[in-house]
Amino acid sequence: MTERPFHEGLEARIADTVAPTLEHMGYELVRIQVSGKERPVLQVMADRADDAPFRVEDCEAISHALGAVLDVNDPFRGEWTLEVSSAGIDRPLTRAKDWERYAGHVATVELAIPMEGRKRFKGVVLGADAEIARLKLDDGSEMALPRASIRRAKLVLTDELIAATALPPAAAN
């Protein structure tokens, strides 16, 4: 089974509902996010399991498939909107494989529970396992952050990240 990102509450229930369909289609769930109260917006962020570039056609296919799944297991009362997107360049780091893949790049992390008197950290990604994400801070110290305590973690858009994620000229066509 593919490693799935950690979610809580309604977002966890939605992730459990949509992830099997995504995986069957050849995608991986990156993040579920619900925003808004009057007319909720459900954002589903995904990657291609084959690591090929994510295209508009991928968003369309996922949107159609998940729309059908969510119509049956309607997570909201009343009207709501489904948005499907790729993780993008300055992507969230939600799975251990994301932390491993982007080791060496700069990220920001916000914890739910303060550690050493602070909730926010910025540094170079060193990797992660199932429990701990590692970050090298600007002062050279290393932090072992409990993944279960991470509220948000995302890459910082840098020239190095852009260069590392740029498509080779032949693949861009």
Side-chain angles (χ1 to χ4, degrees):
M1 184 173 95
T2 304
E3 177 197 9
R4 294 182 182 161
F6 177 75
H7 292 92
E8 293 182 307
L10 174 62
E11 291 170 346
R13 290 192 299 279
I14 294 169
D16 289 344
T17 299
V18 303
T21 300
L22 282 172
E23 291 162 6
H24 178 75
M25 294 174 66
Y27 298 100
E28 295 176 344
L29 180 62
V30 174
R31 183 180 72 198
I32 295 287
Q33 186 170 308
V34 176
S35 58
K37 298 275 186 237
E38 297 301 315
R39 184 176 178 159
V41 174
L42 168 59
Q43 182 194 53
V44 176
M45 192 176 285
D47 272 338
R48 289 178 55 119
D50 63 5
D51 290 328
F54 202 87
R55 303 178 332 247
V56 172
E57 294 82 5
D58 295 309
C59 288
E60 291 171 354
I62 292 169
S63 183
H64 288 296
L66 296 189
V69 168
L70 292 166
D71 281 346
V72 172
N73 300 299
D74 197 344
F76 304 102
R77 290 194 178 118
E79 293 185 29
W80 55 278
T81 303
L82 172 63
E83 291 180 356
V84 176
S85 68
S86 73
I89 294 176
D90 54 346
R91 62 178 301 121
L93 302 171
T94 60
R95 304 164 296 177
K97 75 180 261 179
D98 300 327
W99 285 85
E100 290 297 315
R101 180 177 182 185
Y102 293 98
H105 293 284
V106 179
T108 57
V109 179
E110 180 184 339
L111 300 176
I113 301 162
M115 215 172 128
E116 297 184 8
R118 56 194 274 208
K119 283 187 172 185
R120 290 183 177 81
F121 298 88
K122 180 179 178 182
V124 175
V125 174
L126 297 176
D129 59 29
E131 280 83 42
I132 300 293
R134 296 178 320 284
L135 206 59
K136 184 174 185 176
L137 305 181
D138 289 340
D139 66 6
S141 65
E142 292 183 13
M143 292 295 299
L145 306 168
R147 289 191 50 220
S149 297
I150 295 175
R151 178 176 284 150
R152 276 191 261 324
K154 71 177 263 184
L155 292 173
V156 174
L157 192 60
T158 62
D159 291 341
E160 294 78 13
L161 180 61
I162 293 169
T165 56
L167 292 176
N173 295 335

